[in-house]
Amino acid sequence: PVSENAWVGSFVHRRELKRAVVVSSTAALNAGSLAALCPNGPNGSNDDATERIETSRAARAAYLGLHHDAITGTCPKSVADDFTSWARKGEALARDVTARSAARALRCDVGAERGTETESDDGAARLREP
């Protein structure tokens, strides 16, 4: 028998939590990368600041699952459920940022295709300068 004080955690415990942390962390990184491609919103709006704040919130929610108790699987079920919930919230936030950033990047590219940019880059997507 294993003593109650012995570490019995394993890297295979809490697989759903670990999956949620990986998915949400990846989504947060992707959101930040895409938001950086076309940083300013139309007509000088404050979309850039909003995207940074929401990307930061998504990353924080996702990265809570990197706590050592979550990684090792030694936390109680209620704590693991909380980590999983935060990871899912982080993923949802990141996907919202990604969708808005992608839409903004596409608007920037459409403007480039209509000739609002002055230099050709041999067909590569062109984004408006800040």
Side-chain angles (χ1 to χ4, degrees):
V2 176
S3 128
E4 285 188 27
N5 294 328
W7 182 77
V8 294
S10 167
F11 290 102
V12 298
H13 286 134
R14 314 263 193 237
R15 290 181 188 176
E16 181 60 27
L17 167 60
K18 291 172 185 163
R19 187 205 63 76
V21 169
V22 168
V23 169
S24 62
S25 298
T26 302
L29 286 171
N30 291 341
S33 297
L34 187 57
L37 287 176
C38 191
N40 290 331
N43 302 323
S45 70
N46 201 21
D47 286 348
D48 187 30
T50 302
E51 300 301 326
R52 279 196 311 265
I53 291 168
E54 290 188 6
T55 301
S56 177
R57 287 179 181 162
R60 182 177 175 159
Y63 299 154
L64 283 174
L66 297 176
H67 186 274
H68 65 92
D69 282 337
I71 291 171
T72 60
T74 57
C75 58
K77 183 175 179 353
S78 61
V79 175
D81 291 344
D82 192 42
F83 283 138
T84 303
S85 173
W86 276 105
R88 289 189 177 133
K89 288 176 188 175
E91 180 185 1
L93 279 170
R95 294 203 186 279
D96 287 346
V97 170
T98 299
R100 286 192 308 273
S101 296
R104 192 169 56 249
L106 288 172
R107 282 193 307 272
C108 291
D109 192 40
V110 167
E113 288 177 4
R114 291 184 181 156
T116 58
E117 297 293 324
T118 58
E119 268 187 49
S120 172
D121 60 358
D122 299 325
R126 294 172 298 276
L127 304 176
R128 291 183 185 144
E129 292 296 319

